[in-house]
């Protein structure tokens, strides 16, 4: 790839670029010659420099460890780097953890976003993209799929902290004229997802010979998107989205959790030469997640029509790729599931939310 001279490049501040989706996004932006990426990440349990292995610091990339909630630090970073655009992935992202302890969710997902927005306003940022979630619409079990105008009715502390951030982002547009964009994505899956989330969690349990615990009756429905498709959508919104707009990102392809695990058992049996019936026998229905939303469903008509985006990876193909990645990346899994993760695992699965 030909690099441009430093004077021609645009400066992009990415917050949370060491997480699952953020790291995939950083890689995609660095493939474009015109951006310098400054990656600001606190490196919580979910952020890992290994996710960006092979990326070298220089004129086009810099990593900065820090907290988006730290006003002085963030202000100095804006001052030094003068970003033209900001994309915020930084968040506490796991619903189950937000049930056990909501406070860090509001510190990062709400206050942290306000700190980033304030810095953007003060330093004249030209585009601020907040990465949100379909969970802000809440449970839509008996409703039509949501478009972007659907009312917000978050159920979990996680979803409430993200909905607050959406409101804050839109308030900075209306009050101060800050150019903002919001994307609301459905469930992502793929390489480098922290193994607390359903798909990598179940792959790990299959490999370790453990049970496959589904919350409640396993009939909750989610839409699933391969992380590369989601990142492609985010790049399009950053580069061509209309100021002030919200874009849903979704495959519109719903599956029950039970159907997801059933398919996962079939593909894992294929990939790891195991017996599919004995894998399916390990599915256990356990105590439900408190406040568990039965269904998320969104319409992605706006992004498809306005930004000619379409997801390219079908669920079965993406799931197989994901399984292969986890089967060949044990070391990464070992390195991220430290002692602290074990405490969390016991609280949810052994002490049943205790
Ligand atoms: P993740 O948990 O894998 O990564 C989050 C990253 O943010 C980590 O690198 C972490 O170190 C960093 N971070 C956390 N707190 C921080 C702070 N205070 N300051 C700086 N950095 C901090 O999350 P993900 O799954 O990649 O999700 C990224 C974003 O996308 C989140 O905002 C999430 O709400 C949203 N989202 C995720 C999904 C999904 O299915 N994973 C779907 C829709 C929306
Ligand atoms: O919808 C988008 C959201 O998707 C994102 O905003 C969140 O950051 C992301 O974590 C994800 O939230 P979910 O709660 O949907 O994802 P999770 O992987 O935790 O769970 C998916 C479904 O599987 C959910 O209905 C709960 C269920 N589940 C999960 C685990 C970990 C189980 O039944 N058993 C489990 O052990």
């Amino acid at each position: 790839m030909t690099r441009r001279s430093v004077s021609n490049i645009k400066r992009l501040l990415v917050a949370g670029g060491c997480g699952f989706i953020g790291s995939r996004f950083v890689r995609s932006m660095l493939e474009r010659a015109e951006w310098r990426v400054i990656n600001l990440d606190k490196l919580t349990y979910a952020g890992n420099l290994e996710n960006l292995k092979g990326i070298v610091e220089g004129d086009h990339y810099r990593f900065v460890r820090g907290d988006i909630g730290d006003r002085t630090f963030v202000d100095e970073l804006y001052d030094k780097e003068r970003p033209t655009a900001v994309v915020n992935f930084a968040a506490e992202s796991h619903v189950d953890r937000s049930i056990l302890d909501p406070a860090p969710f509001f510190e990062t997902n709400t206050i942290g976003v306000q700190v980033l927005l304030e810095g953007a306003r003060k330093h004249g940022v030209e585009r601020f993209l907040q990465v949100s979630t379909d969970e802000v619409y809440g449970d839509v079990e008996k409703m039509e799929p949501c478009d972007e105008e659907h009312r917000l009715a978050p159920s979990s502390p996680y979803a409430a902290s993200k909905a607050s951030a959406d409101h804050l982002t839109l308030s900075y547009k209306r009050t101060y004229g800050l150019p903002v964009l919001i994307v609301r994505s459905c469930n992502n899956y793929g390489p480098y997802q922290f193994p607390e989330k359903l798909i990598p969690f179940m792959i790990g349990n299959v490999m370790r010979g453990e049970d496959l615990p589904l919350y409640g009756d396993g009939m909750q429905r989610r839409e699933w998107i391969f992380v590369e498709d989601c990142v492609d959508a985010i790049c399009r919104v950053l580069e061509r989205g209309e100021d002030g707009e919200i874009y849903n990102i979704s495959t519109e392809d719903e599956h029950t959790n039970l159907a997801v695990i059933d398919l996962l058992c079939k593909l894992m049996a294929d990939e790891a030469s195991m017996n599919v019936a004995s894998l399916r026998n390990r599915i256990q229905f356990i105590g439900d997640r408190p406040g568990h939303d039965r269904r998320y469903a969104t319409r992605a008509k706006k992004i498809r029509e306005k930004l000619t985006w379409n997801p390219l990876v079908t669920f079965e193909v993406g799931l197989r790729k994901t399984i292969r990645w986890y089967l060949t990346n044990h070391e990464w899994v070992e390195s991220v599931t430290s002692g602290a993760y074990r405490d969390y695992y016991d609280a949810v699965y052994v002490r049943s939310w205790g």
Side-chain angles (χ1 to χ4, degrees):
M1 179 191 14
T2 330
R3 284 294 189 191
R4 295 196 179 179
S5 76
V6 178
S7 57
N8 286 337
I9 59 180
K10 298 182 271 184
R11 294 172 305 280
L12 174 65
L13 175 61
V14 177
C18 294
F20 163 49
I21 309 175
S23 58
R24 183 59 251 178
F25 175 78
V26 167
R27 286 188 189 278
S28 291
M29 292 312 288
L30 289 175
E31 281 160 16
R32 295 153 157 82
E34 67 270 31
W35 291 98
R36 165 175 165 80
V37 174
I38 304 105
N39 176 10
L40 163 61
D41 198 295
K42 188 178 173 182
L43 297 183
T44 66
Y45 77 95
N48 198 324
L49 287 172
E50 279 293 294
N51 298 1
L52 288 166
K53 205 167 155 186
I55 291 182
V56 181
E57 297 211 27
D59 287 343
H60 286 268
Y61 177 71
R62 179 184 171 210
F63 169 69
V64 185
R65 186 171 190 179
D67 186 335
I68 61 165
D70 181 339
R71 280 179 203 281
T72 311
F73 171 80
V74 168
D75 196 46
E76 282 171 10
L77 188 65
Y78 271 108
D79 220 18
K80 182 166 189 316
E81 294 289 350
R82 306 249 152 221
T84 41
V86 177
V87 179
N88 179 35
F89 293 90
E92 288 295 336
S93 67
H94 194 37
V95 174
D96 292 341
R97 286 180 190 262
S98 82
I99 296 165
L100 295 170
D101 182 12
F105 285 75
F106 290 91
E107 282 154 18
T108 290
N109 302 5
T110 307
I111 303 295
V113 173
Q114 192 273 327
V115 172
L116 284 178
L117 283 163
E118 189 58 22
R121 169 172 96 88
K122 247 173 90 179
H123 292 90
V125 162
E126 292 163 23
R127 240 160 154 63
F128 186 102
L129 195 165
Q130 168 64 10
V131 179
S132 183
T133 166
D134 61 359
E135 297 207 14
V136 297
Y137 300 122
D139 200 336
V140 296
E141 188 177 13
K142 295 189 174 68
M143 290 179 212
E144 288 297 301
C146 310
D147 59 23
E148 290 81 355
E149 275 70 50
H150 197 276
R151 57 97 178 93
L152 303 193
S155 304
S156 67
Y158 162 73
S161 69
K162 295 293 290 185
S164 310
D166 285 15
H167 286 309
L168 273 167
T169 304
L170 295 173
S171 80
Y172 268 71
K173 167 77 196 158
R174 172 133 183 171
T175 309
Y176 305 113
L178 183 72
V180 302
L181 297 149
I182 294 176
V183 292
R184 294 184 179 143
S185 173
C186 63
N187 284 57
N188 281 237
Y189 67 99
Y192 295 107
Q193 185 167 34
F194 194 83
E196 63 193 349
K197 308 281 170 34
L198 182 71
I199 288 176
F201 176 82
M202 294 296 188
I203 295 173
N205 280 19
V206 167
M207 293 316 291
R208 286 188 300 273
E210 293 177 18
D211 286 343
L212 309 177
L214 278 175
Y215 300 154
D217 62 4
M219 297 311 284
Q220 304 83 2
R221 283 184 284 165
R222 301 285 184 268
E223 296 166 323
W224 292 93
I225 186 165
F226 193 60
V227 63
E228 287 173 18
D229 279 332
C230 180
V231 164
D232 175 36
I234 297 173
C235 292
R236 283 169 198 252
V237 172
L238 174 67
E239 291 174 337
R240 295 195 281 118
E242 198 178 317
D243 180 17
E245 290 291 311
I246 299 167
Y247 296 87
N248 287 340
I249 300 175
S250 169
T251 49
E252 302 177 351
D253 182 23
E254 288 181 46
H255 301 265
T256 64
N257 292 338
L258 181 58
V260 170
I261 299 314
D262 200 60
L263 177 61
L264 186 134
C265 287
K266 176 176 161 268
L267 299 181
M268 285 214 64
D270 254 24
E271 293 294 326
S273 310
M274 294 167 127
N275 178 283
V276 65
S278 68
L279 287 187
R280 285 178 176 147
N281 279 340
R282 279 160 49 192
I283 296 176
Q284 297 286 324
F285 296 95
I286 64 164
D288 208 352
R289 168 188 278 178
H292 202 173
D293 286 331
R294 297 290 295 176
R295 176 178 179 238
Y296 300 133
T298 54
R299 281 210 181 91
K301 186 166 179 270
K302 190 196 277 190
I303 190 166
R304 277 194 274 103
E305 290 182 357
K306 303 271 186 207
L307 302 180
T308 55
W309 172 83
N310 264 304
L312 301 177
V313 182
T314 62
F315 189 51
E316 183 158 340
V317 168
L319 193 53
R320 197 182 279 281
K321 279 189 181 186
T322 305
I323 290 169
R324 284 187 183 162
W325 189 86
Y326 280 89
L327 291 181
T328 49
N329 285 276
H330 293 294
E331 277 174 22
W332 181 87
V333 176
E334 290 297 317
S335 74
V336 300
T337 45
S338 63
Y341 175 68
R342 199 68 223 175
D343 293 343
Y344 159 80
Y345 182 97
D346 287 349
V348 173
Y349 297 98
V350 181
R351 299 199 305 277
S352 188
W353 306 101

